[in-house]
mmCIF file of all heavy atoms in Angstrom:
data_model
loop_
_atom_site.group_PDB
_atom_site.id
_atom_site.type_symbol
_atom_site.label_atom_id
_atom_site.label_comp_id
_atom_site.label_asym_id
_atom_site.label_seq_id
_atom_site.Cartn_x
_atom_site.Cartn_y
_atom_site.Cartn_z
ATOM 1 N N GLY A 388 120.031 16.627 94.949
ATOM 2 C CA GLY A 388 120.761 17.792 95.499
ATOM 3 C C GLY A 388 121.842 18.435 94.542
ATOM 4 O O GLY A 388 122.318 19.569 94.837
ATOM 5 N N PHE A 389 122.430 17.760 93.660
ATOM 6 C CA PHE A 389 123.538 18.279 92.837
ATOM 7 C C PHE A 389 123.266 18.090 91.420
ATOM 8 O O PHE A 389 123.632 17.203 90.670
ATOM 9 C CB PHE A 389 124.761 17.401 93.236
ATOM 10 C CG PHE A 389 125.015 17.329 94.723
ATOM 11 C CD1 PHE A 389 124.817 16.078 95.361
ATOM 12 C CD2 PHE A 389 125.442 18.449 95.463
ATOM 13 C CE1 PHE A 389 125.025 16.051 96.799
ATOM 14 C CE2 PHE A 389 125.664 18.299 96.745
ATOM 15 C CZ PHE A 389 125.557 17.132 97.486
ATOM 16 N N SER A 390 122.592 19.085 90.870
ATOM 17 C CA SER A 390 122.169 19.149 89.490
ATOM 18 C C SER A 390 123.373 19.224 88.507
ATOM 19 O O SER A 390 123.317 18.709 87.426
ATOM 20 C CB SER A 390 121.166 20.178 89.123
ATOM 21 O OG SER A 390 121.765 21.507 89.512
ATOM 22 N N ASP A 391 124.519 19.675 89.067
ATOM 23 C CA ASP A 391 125.696 19.906 88.108
ATOM 24 C C ASP A 391 126.267 18.590 87.785
ATOM 25 O O ASP A 391 126.713 18.357 86.702
ATOM 26 C CB ASP A 391 126.739 20.665 88.846
ATOM 27 C CG ASP A 391 127.283 20.156 90.173
ATOM 28 O OD1 ASP A 391 126.460 19.506 90.804
ATOM 29 O OD2 ASP A 391 128.362 20.400 90.519
ATOM 30 N N VAL A 392 126.220 17.517 88.736
ATOM 31 C CA VAL A 392 126.671 16.170 88.347
ATOM 32 C C VAL A 392 125.473 15.105 88.140
ATOM 33 O O VAL A 392 125.632 14.218 87.277
ATOM 34 C CB VAL A 392 127.700 15.598 89.308
ATOM 35 C CG1 VAL A 392 128.920 16.440 89.451
ATOM 36 C CG2 VAL A 392 126.912 15.512 90.743
ATOM 37 N N ASP A 393 124.346 15.430 88.684
ATOM 38 C CA ASP A 393 123.217 14.477 88.641
ATOM 39 C C ASP A 393 122.414 14.733 87.373
ATOM 40 O O ASP A 393 121.694 13.825 86.911
ATOM 41 C CB ASP A 393 122.331 14.603 89.870
ATOM 42 C CG ASP A 393 123.027 14.297 91.118
ATOM 43 O OD1 ASP A 393 124.003 13.717 91.130
ATOM 44 O OD2 ASP A 393 122.468 14.632 92.190
ATOM 45 N N GLY A 394 122.419 15.983 86.811
ATOM 46 C CA GLY A 394 121.567 16.294 85.640
ATOM 47 C C GLY A 394 121.824 15.430 84.471
ATOM 48 O O GLY A 394 120.897 15.193 83.792
ATOM 49 N N ALA A 395 123.077 14.978 84.243
ATOM 50 C CA ALA A 395 123.325 14.142 83.078
ATOM 51 C C ALA A 395 122.733 12.722 83.207
ATOM 52 O O ALA A 395 122.822 11.979 82.370
ATOM 53 C CB ALA A 395 124.880 14.073 83.004
ATOM 54 N N PHE A 396 122.238 12.465 84.464
ATOM 55 C CA PHE A 396 121.619 11.178 84.634
ATOM 56 C C PHE A 396 120.119 11.286 84.917
ATOM 57 O O PHE A 396 119.489 10.347 85.493
ATOM 58 C CB PHE A 396 122.332 10.458 85.837
ATOM 59 C CG PHE A 396 123.831 10.200 85.620
ATOM 60 C CD1 PHE A 396 124.771 11.082 85.887
ATOM 61 C CD2 PHE A 396 124.226 8.994 84.973
ATOM 62 C CE1 PHE A 396 126.143 10.933 85.654
ATOM 63 C CE2 PHE A 396 125.507 8.770 84.663
ATOM 64 C CZ PHE A 396 126.491 9.617 85.068
ATOM 65 N N GLY A 397 119.627 12.457 84.647
ATOM 66 C CA GLY A 397 118.132 12.522 84.659
ATOM 67 C C GLY A 397 117.538 13.313 85.739
ATOM 68 O O GLY A 397 116.322 13.440 85.854
ATOM 69 N N SER A 398 118.429 13.882 86.636
ATOM 70 C CA SER A 398 117.851 14.662 87.819
ATOM 71 C C SER A 398 117.128 15.861 87.402
ATOM 72 O O SER A 398 117.505 16.545 86.441
ATOM 73 C CB SER A 398 118.966 14.974 88.746
ATOM 74 O OG SER A 398 118.438 15.851 89.795
ATOM 75 N N SER A 399 115.958 16.136 87.995
ATOM 76 C CA SER A 399 115.263 17.398 87.890
ATOM 77 C C SER A 399 115.757 18.504 88.681
ATOM 78 O O SER A 399 115.288 19.599 88.442
ATOM 79 C CB SER A 399 113.759 17.109 88.023
ATOM 80 O OG SER A 399 113.124 16.155 87.261
ATOM 81 N N GLY A 400 116.737 18.290 89.490
ATOM 82 C CA GLY A 400 117.252 19.313 90.350
ATOM 83 C C GLY A 400 116.740 19.256 91.747
ATOM 84 O O GLY A 400 116.001 18.303 92.083
ATOM 85 N N SER A 401 117.013 20.249 92.555
ATOM 86 C CA SER A 401 116.571 20.225 93.892
ATOM 87 C C SER A 401 115.041 20.330 94.074
ATOM 88 O O SER A 401 114.375 21.042 93.394
ATOM 89 C CB SER A 401 117.171 21.407 94.665
ATOM 90 O OG SER A 401 116.626 21.546 96.001
ATOM 91 N N PHE A 402 114.468 19.543 94.874
ATOM 92 C CA PHE A 402 113.028 19.576 95.147
ATOM 93 C C PHE A 402 112.607 20.974 95.600
ATOM 94 O O PHE A 402 111.468 21.495 95.263
ATOM 95 C CB PHE A 402 112.711 18.638 96.301
ATOM 96 C CG PHE A 402 111.296 18.601 96.841
ATOM 97 C CD1 PHE A 402 110.238 18.322 96.075
ATOM 98 C CD2 PHE A 402 111.075 19.084 98.079
ATOM 99 C CE1 PHE A 402 108.905 18.409 96.517
ATOM 100 C CE2 PHE A 402 109.734 19.131 98.561
ATOM 101 C CZ PHE A 402 108.722 18.775 97.767
ATOM 102 N N PHE A 403 113.498 21.653 96.344
ATOM 103 C CA PHE A 403 113.172 23.035 96.830
ATOM 104 C C PHE A 403 113.234 24.036 95.683
ATOM 105 O O PHE A 403 112.642 25.251 95.860
ATOM 106 C CB PHE A 403 114.115 23.440 97.920
ATOM 107 C CG PHE A 403 114.072 22.475 99.065
ATOM 108 C CD1 PHE A 403 115.109 21.711 99.412
ATOM 109 C CD2 PHE A 403 112.883 22.422 99.918
ATOM 110 C CE1 PHE A 403 115.092 20.859 100.570
ATOM 111 C CE2 PHE A 403 112.844 21.676 100.972
ATOM 112 C CZ PHE A 403 113.914 20.759 101.321
ATOM 113 N N ARG A 404 113.823 23.850 94.547
ATOM 114 C CA ARG A 404 113.825 24.782 93.475
ATOM 115 C C ARG A 404 112.951 24.374 92.312
ATOM 116 O O ARG A 404 112.940 25.157 91.378
ATOM 117 C CB ARG A 404 115.396 24.830 92.925
ATOM 118 C CG ARG A 404 116.322 25.350 94.024
ATOM 119 C CD ARG A 404 117.758 25.509 93.440
ATOM 120 N NE ARG A 404 118.654 26.095 94.473
ATOM 121 C CZ ARG A 404 119.955 26.226 94.218
ATOM 122 N NH1 ARG A 404 120.410 25.982 93.082
ATOM 123 N NH2 ARG A 404 120.675 26.781 95.229
ATOM 124 N N LEU A 405 112.288 23.267 92.404
ATOM 125 C CA LEU A 405 111.461 22.938 91.291
ATOM 126 C C LEU A 405 110.166 24.003 91.414
ATOM 127 O O LEU A 405 109.705 24.436 92.429
ATOM 128 C CB LEU A 405 110.715 21.582 91.496
ATOM 129 C CG LEU A 405 111.752 20.438 91.370
ATOM 130 C CD1 LEU A 405 111.122 19.015 91.538
ATOM 131 C CD2 LEU A 405 112.409 20.495 89.994
ATOM 132 N N LYS A 406 109.652 24.373 90.244
ATOM 133 C CA LYS A 406 108.613 25.403 90.059
ATOM 134 C C LYS A 406 107.325 24.697 90.479
ATOM 135 O O LYS A 406 107.135 23.439 90.305
ATOM 136 C CB LYS A 406 108.493 25.825 88.615
ATOM 137 C CG LYS A 406 109.728 26.603 88.114
ATOM 138 C CD LYS A 406 109.535 27.082 86.765
ATOM 139 C CE LYS A 406 110.713 27.819 86.247
ATOM 140 N NZ LYS A 406 110.512 28.277 84.885
ATOM 141 N N PRO A 407 106.430 25.427 91.289
ATOM 142 C CA PRO A 407 105.181 24.869 91.685
ATOM 143 C C PRO A 407 104.373 24.207 90.622
ATOM 144 O O PRO A 407 103.755 23.139 90.756
ATOM 145 C CB PRO A 407 104.459 26.075 92.291
ATOM 146 C CG PRO A 407 105.444 27.015 92.669
ATOM 147 C CD PRO A 407 106.719 26.818 91.604
ATOM 148 N N ALA A 408 104.486 24.757 89.314
ATOM 149 C CA ALA A 408 103.778 24.150 88.290
ATOM 150 C C ALA A 408 104.174 22.688 87.967
ATOM 151 O O ALA A 408 103.506 21.826 87.378
ATOM 152 C CB ALA A 408 103.925 25.010 86.938
ATOM 153 N N GLN A 409 105.479 22.365 88.342
ATOM 154 C CA GLN A 409 106.050 21.083 88.024
ATOM 155 C C GLN A 409 105.427 20.058 88.965
ATOM 156 O O GLN A 409 105.558 18.891 88.731
ATOM 157 C CB GLN A 409 107.481 21.032 88.173
ATOM 158 C CG GLN A 409 108.250 21.880 87.062
ATOM 159 C CD GLN A 409 109.774 21.924 87.248
ATOM 160 O OE1 GLN A 409 110.240 22.872 87.920
ATOM 161 N NE2 GLN A 409 110.459 21.022 86.572
ATOM 162 N N LEU A 410 104.942 20.514 90.131
ATOM 163 C CA LEU A 410 104.402 19.636 91.181
ATOM 164 C C LEU A 410 103.014 20.050 91.465
ATOM 165 O O LEU A 410 102.453 19.874 92.660
ATOM 166 C CB LEU A 410 105.236 19.725 92.348
ATOM 167 C CG LEU A 410 106.667 19.215 92.306
ATOM 168 C CD1 LEU A 410 107.575 19.692 93.413
ATOM 169 C CD2 LEU A 410 106.739 17.755 92.085
ATOM 170 N N ALA A 411 102.190 20.511 90.466
ATOM 171 C CA ALA A 411 100.887 20.876 90.684
ATOM 172 C C ALA A 411 99.814 19.810 90.769
ATOM 173 O O ALA A 411 98.791 19.966 91.388
ATOM 174 C CB ALA A 411 100.468 21.879 89.603
ATOM 175 N N SER A 412 100.290 18.587 90.318
ATOM 176 C CA SER A 412 99.340 17.501 90.337
ATOM 177 C C SER A 412 100.243 16.254 90.329
ATOM 178 O O SER A 412 101.439 16.239 90.006
ATOM 179 C CB SER A 412 98.298 17.392 89.270
ATOM 180 O OG SER A 412 98.902 17.346 88.066
ATOM 181 N N GLY A 413 99.667 14.990 90.494
ATOM 182 C CA GLY A 413 100.422 13.722 90.425
ATOM 183 C C GLY A 413 100.652 13.202 91.728
ATOM 184 O O GLY A 413 100.348 13.728 92.810
ATOM 185 N N SER A 414 101.429 12.109 91.840
ATOM 186 C CA SER A 414 101.770 11.377 93.049
ATOM 187 C C SER A 414 103.350 11.343 93.138
ATOM 188 O O SER A 414 103.939 10.781 92.243
ATOM 189 C CB SER A 414 101.136 10.095 92.996
ATOM 190 O OG SER A 414 101.363 9.351 94.294
ATOM 191 N N SER A 415 103.831 11.711 94.263
ATOM 192 C CA SER A 415 105.287 11.698 94.515
ATOM 193 C C SER A 415 105.598 10.956 95.834
ATOM 194 O O SER A 415 104.808 10.972 96.798
ATOM 195 C CB SER A 415 105.898 13.144 94.571
ATOM 196 O OG SER A 415 105.630 13.880 93.338
ATOM 197 N N ALA A 416 106.831 10.503 95.990
ATOM 198 C CA ALA A 416 107.457 9.979 97.104
ATOM 199 C C ALA A 416 108.408 11.041 97.679
ATOM 200 O O ALA A 416 109.263 11.471 96.859
ATOM 201 C CB ALA A 416 107.998 8.642 96.969
ATOM 202 N N CYS A 417 108.502 11.324 98.929
ATOM 203 C CA CYS A 417 109.331 12.299 99.481
ATOM 204 C C CYS A 417 110.160 11.641 100.593
ATOM 205 O O CYS A 417 109.593 11.423 101.777
ATOM 206 C CB CYS A 417 108.524 13.526 100.002
ATOM 207 S SG CYS A 417 109.462 14.917 100.502
ATOM 208 N N ASN A 418 111.403 11.200 100.400
ATOM 209 C CA ASN A 418 112.193 10.653 101.494
ATOM 210 C C ASN A 418 113.446 11.397 101.603
ATOM 211 O O ASN A 418 114.565 11.155 101.077
ATOM 212 C CB ASN A 418 112.563 9.108 100.944
ATOM 213 C CG ASN A 418 113.289 8.401 101.947
ATOM 214 O OD1 ASN A 418 113.432 8.693 103.177
ATOM 215 N ND2 ASN A 418 114.058 7.388 101.478
ATOM 216 N N PRO A 419 113.335 12.501 102.351
ATOM 217 C CA PRO A 419 114.534 13.427 102.458
ATOM 218 C C PRO A 419 115.604 12.791 103.327
ATOM 219 O O PRO A 419 115.424 11.855 104.091
ATOM 220 C CB PRO A 419 113.863 14.678 103.258
ATOM 221 C CG PRO A 419 112.418 14.498 103.157
ATOM 222 C CD PRO A 419 112.165 13.028 103.230
ATOM 223 N N PRO A 420 116.873 13.455 103.228
ATOM 224 C CA PRO A 420 117.894 13.005 104.112
ATOM 225 C C PRO A 420 117.479 13.221 105.614
ATOM 226 O O PRO A 420 116.716 14.160 105.870
ATOM 227 C CB PRO A 420 119.154 13.895 103.810
ATOM 228 C CG PRO A 420 118.767 14.247 102.326
ATOM 229 C CD PRO A 420 117.281 14.327 102.267
#
Side-chain angles (χ1 to χ4, degrees):
F389 307 108
S390 58
D391 59 329
V392 294
D393 299 343
F396 297 89
S398 172
S399 299
S401 170
F402 172 68
F403 299 112
R404 294 183 179 180
L405 294 179
K406 296 179 180 179
Q409 294 176 272
L410 296 166
S412 64
S414 183
S415 300
C417 190
N418 181 26

